Amino acid sequence: DAGVIQSPRHEVTEMGQEVTLRCKPISGHDYLFWYRQTMMRGLELLIYFNNNVPIDDSGMPEDRFSAKMPNASFSTLKIQPSEPRDSAVYFCASSLMGGRGMPGETQYFGPGTRLLVL
Amino acid sequence: QKEVEQNSGPLSVPEGAIASLNCTYSDRGSQSFFWYRQYSGKSPELIMFIYSNGDKEDGRFTAQLNKASQYVSLLIRDSQPSDSATYLCAGFTNTGFQKLVFGTGTRLLVSP
């Protein structure tokens, strides 16, 4: 299996521009997670989906951020308009339902998208 | 207060020594805990998980959980320079939506 695939791997953009990050989860996984990692705040969950449905978006910082999962093999995270404080590494992760019936216990991370907003 | 707390380090140990990484959590409802390793510029990868009080061993790694003290640790025996990385502790919270909550990580440096 190719693992979780993310694109682009690096993105440099100017403040105010729209940014779209893409993720393809591991085939068969029914949970998909979007995280943001910064030095100051560490790894933060932004949103997660179960069977393509958003379950918890409480970590989405503000209305400038939106995420979609139109099908089981594709998700996007969009920032519009982007700001310099959005600069971070964005990870997508996927998982199966955990053995104890808990969602997303063992999560497999993609390589991340390094976003720099100037 | 963050739900999962870790000392940022760096923790420096010589090759062959035991590295001890610690983590505390605030959500008493958390049932399971995970240790992820993250090399610089790479994505986190799962090393171990633990559900029950006590120790769980896997090769050179031992995870320890003490629910009464809300304390999780990871011991790395016979540390190697290749173990140099940031180690992320995560707890699976049952408060509200079930999800992993990560600490900010401890950087480990193993010197030859």
Coordinates of all heavy atoms in Angstrom, one line a residue, chain A residues 64-118:
Chain A
R64 N -12.0 30.9 7.9 CA -11.1 30.9 6.7 C -10.7 29.4 6.3 O -10.3 29.2 5.2 CB -9.9 31.7 7.0 CG -10.1 33.2 7.3 CD -8.8 33.9 7.4 NE -8.0 33.5 8.5 CZ -6.9 32.8 8.4 NH1 -6.4 32.4 7.2 NH2 -6.2 32.4 9.5
F65 N -10.9 28.5 7.3 CA -10.5 27.1 7.0 C -11.8 26.3 6.7 O -12.8 26.5 7.4 CB -9.9 26.5 8.3 CG -8.5 27.0 8.5 CD1 -8.2 28.3 8.9 CD2 -7.4 26.1 8.3 CE1 -6.9 28.7 9.1 CE2 -6.1 26.5 8.6 CZ -5.8 27.8 8.9
S66 N -11.7 25.5 5.7 CA -12.8 24.6 5.4 C -12.2 23.2 4.9 O -11.1 23.2 4.3 CB -13.7 25.2 4.3 OG -13.1 25.4 3.1
A67 N -12.9 22.2 5.1 CA -12.5 20.8 4.7 C -13.6 20.1 4.1 O -14.8 20.2 4.6 CB -11.9 20.1 5.9
K68 N -13.3 19.3 3.1 CA -14.3 18.5 2.5 C -13.8 17.1 2.2 O -12.6 16.9 2.1 CB -14.8 19.1 1.1 CG -15.5 20.4 1.3 CD -15.9 20.9 -0.1 CE -16.6 22.2 0.0 NZ -17.0 22.8 -1.3
M69 N -14.7 16.1 2.2 CA -14.3 14.7 1.8 C -15.4 14.2 0.9 O -16.4 13.6 1.3 CB -14.2 13.9 3.0 CG -13.5 12.5 2.7 SD -12.9 11.7 4.1 CE -12.1 10.3 3.4
P70 N -15.3 14.5 -0.4 CA -16.4 14.1 -1.4 C -16.5 12.6 -1.6 O -17.6 12.2 -2.0 CB -15.9 14.8 -2.7 CG -14.5 15.1 -2.5 CD -14.2 15.2 -1.0
N71 N -15.4 11.9 -1.3 CA -15.5 10.4 -1.4 C -14.5 9.8 -0.5 O -13.7 10.5 0.1 CB -15.3 10.0 -2.9 CG -14.0 10.5 -3.5 OD1 -13.0 10.1 -3.0 ND2 -14.1 11.3 -4.5
A72 N -14.5 8.5 -0.5 CA -13.7 7.8 0.5 C -12.2 7.9 0.2 O -11.3 7.5 1.0 CB -14.1 6.3 0.5
S73 N -11.8 8.3 -1.0 CA -10.4 8.3 -1.4 C -9.8 9.7 -1.5 O -8.7 9.9 -2.1 CB -10.2 7.5 -2.6 OG -10.9 8.1 -3.7
F74 N -10.5 10.8 -1.1 CA -10.0 12.1 -1.4 C -10.6 13.1 -0.4 O -11.8 13.1 -0.1 CB -10.4 12.5 -2.8 CG -9.9 13.9 -3.2 CD1 -8.5 14.1 -3.3 CD2 -10.7 14.9 -3.4 CE1 -8.0 15.3 -3.7 CE2 -10.2 16.2 -3.8 CZ -8.9 16.4 -4.0
S75 N -9.7 14.0 0.1 CA -10.1 15.1 1.0 C -9.3 16.3 0.7 O -8.2 16.2 0.3 CB -10.0 14.7 2.5 OG -10.3 15.7 3.4
T76 N -9.9 17.5 1.0 CA -9.2 18.7 0.8 C -9.4 19.6 2.0 O -10.4 19.5 2.8 CB -9.8 19.5 -0.4 OG1 -11.1 19.8 -0.2 CG2 -9.6 18.8 -1.7
L77 N -8.3 20.4 2.3 CA -8.3 21.4 3.3 C -8.0 22.7 2.6 O -7.0 22.8 2.0 CB -7.3 21.1 4.4 CG -7.2 22.1 5.5 CD1 -8.5 22.1 6.4 CD2 -6.0 21.8 6.4
K78 N -8.9 23.6 2.8 CA -8.8 24.9 2.1 C -8.7 26.1 3.0 O -9.4 26.1 4.1 CB -10.0 25.1 1.1 CG -9.9 26.3 0.2 CD -11.1 26.4 -0.7 CE -11.0 25.2 -1.7 NZ -12.1 25.4 -2.8
I79 N -7.8 27.0 2.7 CA -7.6 28.2 3.5 C -7.8 29.4 2.6 O -7.1 29.5 1.6 CB -6.2 28.3 4.2 CG1 -5.8 27.0 4.9 CG2 -6.1 29.5 5.1 CD1 -4.4 26.9 5.4
Q80 N -8.8 30.2 2.9 CA -9.1 31.3 2.1 C -9.7 32.4 2.9 O -10.8 32.3 3.5 CB -10.1 30.9 1.0 CG -10.8 32.0 0.3 CD -9.8 32.9 -0.6 OE1 -8.7 32.5 -0.9 NE2 -10.3 34.1 -0.9
P81 N -9.1 33.6 3.0 CA -7.7 33.9 2.5 C -6.7 33.5 3.5 O -6.9 33.4 4.7 CB -7.8 35.4 2.5 CG -8.7 35.8 3.6 CD -9.7 34.7 3.7
S82 N -5.5 33.2 3.0 CA -4.4 32.7 3.8 C -3.7 33.9 4.5 O -3.7 35.0 4.0 CB -3.4 31.9 3.0 OG -2.9 32.7 2.0
E83 N -3.2 33.6 5.7 CA -2.4 34.6 6.5 C -1.1 34.0 6.9 O -1.0 32.8 7.0 CB -3.3 35.0 7.7 CG -4.6 35.7 7.4 CD -5.4 36.1 8.6 OE1 -4.8 36.0 9.7 OE2 -6.5 36.7 8.4
P84 N -0.1 34.9 7.2 CA 1.2 34.4 7.6 C 1.1 33.5 8.8 O 1.9 32.5 8.9 CB 2.0 35.7 8.0 CG 1.4 36.7 7.1 CD -0.1 36.4 7.0
R85 N 0.2 33.7 9.8 CA 0.1 32.8 10.9 C -0.4 31.4 10.6 O -0.4 30.5 11.5 CB -0.8 33.4 12.0 CG -2.2 33.7 11.5 CD -3.0 34.6 12.6 NE -4.2 35.1 12.0 CZ -5.4 34.9 12.6 NH1 -5.5 34.2 13.7 NH2 -6.5 35.4 12.1
D86 N -0.8 31.2 9.4 CA -1.2 29.8 8.9 C 0.0 29.0 8.5 O -0.2 27.8 8.3 CB -2.2 29.9 7.7 CG -3.4 30.7 8.1 OD1 -3.9 30.7 9.2 OD2 -4.0 31.4 7.1
S87 N 1.1 29.6 8.5 CA 2.3 28.9 8.1 C 2.6 27.7 9.1 O 2.7 28.0 10.3 CB 3.5 29.8 8.1 OG 3.4 30.8 7.1
A88 N 2.7 26.5 8.6 CA 2.8 25.3 9.5 C 3.0 24.1 8.6 O 3.0 24.2 7.4 CB 1.5 25.2 10.3
V89 N 3.1 23.0 9.2 CA 3.1 21.7 8.5 C 1.7 21.1 8.7 O 1.2 21.0 9.9 CB 4.1 20.7 8.9 CG1 4.0 19.4 8.1 CG2 5.5 21.3 8.8
Y90 N 1.0 20.8 7.6 CA -0.3 20.2 7.7 C -0.2 18.7 7.4 O 0.2 18.3 6.3 CB -1.3 20.9 6.8 CG -1.6 22.3 7.2 CD1 -0.7 23.4 7.0 CD2 -2.7 22.6 7.9 CE1 -0.9 24.7 7.4 CE2 -3.0 23.9 8.4 CZ -2.1 24.9 8.1 OH -2.3 26.2 8.5
F91 N -0.7 17.9 8.3 CA -0.7 16.4 8.1 C -2.1 15.9 7.9 O -3.0 16.4 8.6 CB -0.1 15.7 9.3 CG 1.4 15.9 9.5 CD1 2.0 16.8 10.4 CD2 2.3 15.2 8.7 CE1 3.3 16.9 10.6 CE2 3.7 15.3 8.8 CZ 4.2 16.2 9.8
C92 N -2.2 15.0 7.1 CA -3.4 14.2 7.0 C -3.1 12.8 7.5 O -2.0 12.3 7.3 CB -3.8 14.1 5.5 SG -5.2 13.1 5.1
A93 N -4.0 12.2 8.2 CA -3.8 10.8 8.7 C -5.1 10.0 8.5 O -6.2 10.6 8.4 CB -3.5 10.9 10.2
S94 N -5.0 8.7 8.4 CA -6.2 7.9 8.3 C -6.1 6.7 9.2 O -5.0 6.3 9.6 CB -6.4 7.5 6.8 OG -5.4 6.5 6.4
S95 N -7.2 6.1 9.4 CA -7.2 4.9 10.3 C -8.5 4.1 10.1 O -9.4 4.5 9.5 CB -7.1 5.3 11.8 OG -8.4 5.8 12.2
L96 N -8.4 2.9 10.7 CA -9.6 2.1 10.8 C -10.2 2.2 12.2 O -9.6 2.7 13.1 CB -9.3 0.6 10.5 CG -8.9 0.2 9.1 CD1 -8.3 -1.2 9.2 CD2 -10.1 0.2 8.2
M97 N -11.5 1.8 12.3 CA -12.0 1.7 13.7 C -11.1 0.9 14.5 O -10.7 -0.2 14.1 CB -13.4 1.1 13.6 CG -14.1 0.9 15.0 SD -14.5 2.4 15.8 CE -16.0 2.8 14.9
G98 N -10.8 1.4 15.8 CA -9.9 0.7 16.7 C -10.5 -0.6 17.1 O -11.7 -0.8 17.1
G99 N -9.7 -1.5 17.6 CA -10.1 -2.8 18.0 C -11.0 -2.8 19.2 O -11.8 -3.7 19.5
R100 N -10.9 -1.7 20.0 CA -11.8 -1.6 21.2 C -13.0 -0.8 20.9 O -13.7 -0.3 21.7 CB -11.0 -0.9 22.3 CG -10.0 -1.8 23.0 CD -8.9 -1.1 23.6 NE -9.3 0.0 24.5 CZ -9.4 -0.2 25.8 NH1 -9.1 -1.4 26.4 NH2 -9.7 0.8 26.6
G101 N -13.3 -0.6 19.6 CA -14.5 0.1 19.1 C -14.3 1.6 19.2 O -15.2 2.3 19.0
M102 N -13.0 2.0 19.4 CA -12.8 3.5 19.4 C -12.3 3.9 18.1 O -11.5 3.3 17.5 CB -11.8 3.8 20.5 CG -12.2 3.4 21.9 SD -11.0 3.9 23.1 CE -11.7 3.3 24.6
P103 N -12.7 5.0 17.6 CA -12.3 5.5 16.3 C -10.9 6.0 16.3 O -10.4 6.6 17.2 CB -13.3 6.7 16.0 CG -13.7 7.2 17.4 CD -13.7 6.0 18.3
G104 N -10.2 5.7 15.2 CA -8.9 6.3 15.0 C -7.8 6.1 16.0 O -7.0 7.0 16.2
E105 N -7.8 4.9 16.6 CA -6.7 4.7 17.6 C -5.4 4.7 17.0 O -4.4 5.3 17.4 CB -7.0 3.4 18.4 CG -8.2 3.6 19.4 CD -8.3 2.4 20.3 OE1 -8.1 1.3 19.8 OE2 -8.5 2.6 21.5
T106 N -5.2 3.9 15.9 CA -3.9 3.8 15.3 C -3.9 4.5 14.0 O -4.5 4.1 13.0 CB -3.5 2.3 15.0 OG1 -3.5 1.6 16.3 CG2 -2.1 2.2 14.4
Q107 N -3.3 5.7 14.0 CA -3.4 6.6 12.8 C -2.1 6.6 12.1 O -1.1 6.6 12.6 CB -3.7 8.0 13.3 CG -5.1 8.1 14.0 CD -5.4 9.5 14.5 OE1 -4.8 10.5 14.0 NE2 -6.3 9.6 15.4
Y108 N -2.3 6.5 10.8 CA -1.1 6.5 9.9 C -1.1 7.9 9.2 O -2.0 8.3 8.6 CB -1.3 5.4 8.8 CG -1.3 4.0 9.5 CD1 -2.5 3.5 9.9 CD2 -0.1 3.3 9.6 CE1 -2.5 2.2 10.6 CE2 -0.1 2.1 10.3 CZ -1.3 1.6 10.7 OH -1.3 0.3 11.3
F109 N 0.1 8.5 9.3 CA 0.2 9.9 8.9 C 0.8 10.0 7.5 O 1.7 9.1 7.1 CB 1.2 10.7 9.8 CG 0.5 11.1 11.1 CD1 0.3 10.2 12.1 CD2 0.1 12.4 11.3 CE1 -0.4 10.6 13.3 CE2 -0.6 12.8 12.4 CZ -0.8 11.9 13.5
G110 N 0.4 10.9 6.7 CA 1.0 11.2 5.4 C 2.3 12.0 5.7 O 2.6 12.4 6.8
P111 N 3.0 12.4 4.6 CA 4.3 13.1 4.7 C 4.1 14.5 5.1 O 5.1 15.1 5.4 CB 4.9 12.9 3.3 CG 3.7 12.8 2.4 CD 2.7 12.0 3.2
G112 N 2.9 15.1 5.0 CA 2.7 16.5 5.3 C 2.9 17.4 4.2 O 3.6 17.1 3.2
T113 N 2.3 18.6 4.3 CA 2.4 19.7 3.4 C 3.0 20.9 4.2 O 2.4 21.3 5.2 CB 1.1 20.2 2.8 OG1 0.6 19.1 2.0 CG2 1.3 21.4 2.0
R114 N 4.2 21.3 3.8 CA 4.8 22.5 4.5 C 4.3 23.8 3.8 O 4.7 24.0 2.7 CB 6.3 22.4 4.4 CG 6.8 21.4 5.5 CD 8.1 20.7 5.1 NE 8.5 19.8 6.2 CZ 8.0 18.6 6.3 NH1 7.1 18.2 5.5 NH2 8.4 17.8 7.3
L115 N 3.5 24.5 4.6 CA 2.9 25.7 4.0 C 3.6 27.0 4.6 O 3.8 27.1 5.8 CB 1.5 25.8 4.4 CG 0.7 27.1 4.0 CD1 0.7 27.3 2.5 CD2 -0.7 27.1 4.6
L116 N 4.0 27.9 3.7 CA 4.6 29.1 4.1 C 3.8 30.2 3.5 O 3.7 30.3 2.2 CB 6.1 29.2 3.7 CG 6.8 30.6 4.0 CD1 6.8 30.8 5.5 CD2 8.2 30.6 3.4
V117 N 3.2 31.1 4.3 CA 2.4 32.2 3.8 C 3.2 33.5 4.0 O 3.5 33.8 5.2 CB 1.1 32.3 4.5 CG1 0.3 33.4 3.9 CG2 0.3 31.0 4.3
L118 N 3.6 34.2 3.0 CA 4.4 35.4 3.1 C 3.6 36.6 3.3 O 2.4 36.7 2.8 CB 5.3 35.5 1.8 CG 6.2 34.3 1.6 CD1 6.9 34.5 0.3 CD2 7.2 34.1 2.7

